[in-house]
Structure formats: structure tokens, C-alpha cells
Amino acid sequence: MDKFLQHYKSFNYEIFFEKLSTSDIENIIKNSGDKILEDLEFLALLSPKASNLLEKMALKANTITEQYFGKEIHIYAPLYISNICDNECSYCGFKHSNPIKRRHLTLEEIEKEAIFISETLGIHSIILLTGESSINSIEYLKNSIKILKKYFSTVIIEVQPLSQEEYNILYEVGLDGVTVYQECYHKETYSKYHLKGNKTDYSYRLETPKRAA
Ligand code: SF4
């Protein structure tokens, strides 16, 4: 577990929240401008006392978002290239034990889908999705991205968590973004619903955005 997670695992949240006043939180919202918040400033915004200040936070967030992105709406199409999954997440229809028909698209099939989506919908961004399985080798993902980059300006992946080296290989062929759902930030509850496979590793998943970044 990295230092950040280790530190906040043993942090005394009760005392921190008790000492915090509503005006402390208001000052953070008012005076932080658009700078990246310190850990404890961010924690203050997540505190129980901050729940009455949600409107103020929403207005501030809206101002910063518009400052950076304007009134832009980003639309992308999802493309599932494999529903084979080695994991056993109790809530998901793709889980390994579910006897559904499984498909793993060939590179030719992926190209056909890419042509169809780009020509019919005029969408410029695509998110490539798979179940989490060793069948989705880094070579397979790399070649899929290469094909998609011919038809889309932005390619994002939502696949199994990868190592930093693997993200780098995909970045080199044009990967623009990574999506990863943690599903749950309470370790004990997480373990109840993720029963088999690599997704049982709570910390490795939690640290995925850091490796990707
Ligand atoms: S890893 Fe993803 S696709 Fe596989 S069972 Fe879990 S939620 Fe479903």
C-alpha cells in the first residue's frame, strides 16, 4: 500500500472533523481559487459539516469547470471488444461463472465496427471496453488502439488494471485516456462483492489511476 493510503488508514478522522468549523470550510471554498487542494482541505469538503455547503461547492465547481472547458459537451461511443472475464463480481452479468455466450472480436471485426461507428454516427471519441481477462493481452489492446486511432481522434480504454509499463506501451500508440471503476471505497464491503480473480486486489485497483497517470 502506498504512503498516502497508509497515512490515511490510521488517521484520526473523528478529531479532525470535531475541530473543523463551518467557517473553516467556507474559507476553503472561498479562498482556494482554482488551485489543487491540499489533502486536508479536500478532506474538510468531505466532512459531515460540509454537507450544508453543497450548493456553494457546486457553484464553485461549475465556475472552475467553465473556466477550463467552457460549455462543452463531450460525446463518445462505447465499443465492447470482448465479454470474456476471469473475475467474479457478484453484481455483473459478465462474471466468469455466468453461462452466457462469450465473444472476443478479432482485429478485422474491430476495424469493421470502427468504420461503421465513425461513418454512421459521426462520433470522434471512442471508449474501448473488455471484461477483465488475460486473453486481452497487451499486444491485442495495442493493436486494437492502433486500428481505432485511424478512425477516432480520442481513444479511451476501460479494461483490466495494467502496470505502468503497459500503460506506457498503449500511450505510445495513441491512447488518450483510462477509465477504471473502483465500485466501492470500503475495503471490507469491496471484498464481499469481488469474489475471484485479479479484481479481488483492492489496493492494486485503487492505485490504477496513479500508474496510468
Ligand atoms: S471485472 Fe468487470 S466485466 Fe468482469 S465481472 Fe467484474 S464488473 Fe463484470
Side-chain angles (χ1 to χ4, degrees):
M1 189 183 284
D2 81 0
K3 274 193 211 151
F4 175 87
L5 296 176
Q6 197 65 50
H7 174 66
Y8 284 102
K9 201 170 185 305
S10 52
F11 187 81
N12 196 327
Y13 291 89
E14 268 179 32
I15 290 186
F16 178 78
F17 290 152
E18 208 178 283
K19 284 188 182 164
L20 199 65
S21 69
T22 305
S23 62
D24 289 335
I25 304 168
E26 279 176 323
N27 283 337
I28 294 170
I29 299 171
K30 200 169 146 209
N31 301 325
S32 56
D34 63 349
K35 80 173 176 75
I36 295 173
L37 297 179
E38 301 290 335
D39 296 351
L40 293 183
E41 289 176 323
F42 186 59
L43 185 57
L45 300 187
L46 297 174
S47 70
K49 282 177 193 153
S51 59
N52 294 329
L53 299 169
L54 285 177
E55 190 62 29
K56 282 189 178 168
M57 282 190 252
L59 286 172
K60 173 86 185 274
N62 186 55
T63 307
I64 296 173
T65 305
E66 283 198 4
Q67 182 182 323
Y68 283 101
F69 302 105
K71 292 192 182 293
E72 183 175 295
I73 293 177
H74 193 74
I75 296 176
Y76 62 81
L79 172 60
Y80 281 83
I81 59 170
S82 174
N83 66 352
I84 297 175
C85 190
D86 302 337
N87 292 341
E88 194 67 22
C89 308
S90 59
Y91 48 82
C92 180
F94 286 171
K95 64 184 168 192
H96 185 73
S97 64
N98 207 17
I100 54 167
K101 192 175 172 197
R102 304 283 175 169
R103 287 278 279 115
H104 184 74
L105 298 191
T106 62
L107 295 178
E108 291 70 30
E109 286 172 318
I110 292 170
E111 182 140 29
K112 215 170 140 190
E113 295 284 334
I115 293 169
F116 182 81
I117 295 170
S118 64
E119 282 181 355
T120 26
L121 302 175
I123 282 178
H124 304 294
S125 302
I126 195 140
I127 180 160
L128 174 150
L129 300 105
T130 63
E132 298 196 5
S133 169
S134 51
I135 197 169
N136 304 318
S137 67
I138 199 70
E139 205 54 28
Y140 175 65
L141 294 173
K142 187 174 106 178
N143 290 330
S144 305
I145 291 167
K146 274 188 186 169
I147 291 170
L148 294 177
K149 281 305 272 193
K150 291 199 273 175
Y151 303 96
F152 301 95
S153 56
T154 305
V155 177
I156 297 166
I157 51 166
E158 189 179 329
V159 307
Q160 69 271 22
L162 303 171
S163 69
Q164 190 171 324
E165 293 69 31
E166 289 171 325
Y167 284 123
N168 204 38
I169 290 169
L170 302 186
Y171 172 73
E172 293 290 335
V173 292
L175 178 66
D176 296 288
V178 172
T179 297
V180 59
Y181 284 89
Q182 182 68 22
E183 326 285 4
C184 168
Y185 291 89
H186 183 259
K187 202 172 181 183
E188 287 70 34
T189 306
Y190 182 94
S191 305
K192 275 193 214 164
Y193 297 97
H194 301 98
L195 305 170
K196 273 185 197 160
N198 290 337
K199 201 167 169 179
T200 54
D201 192 336
Y202 176 87
S203 301
Y204 189 72
R205 195 169 191 89
L206 193 59
E207 288 163 14
T208 302
K210 199 169 163 185
R211 292 193 304 279

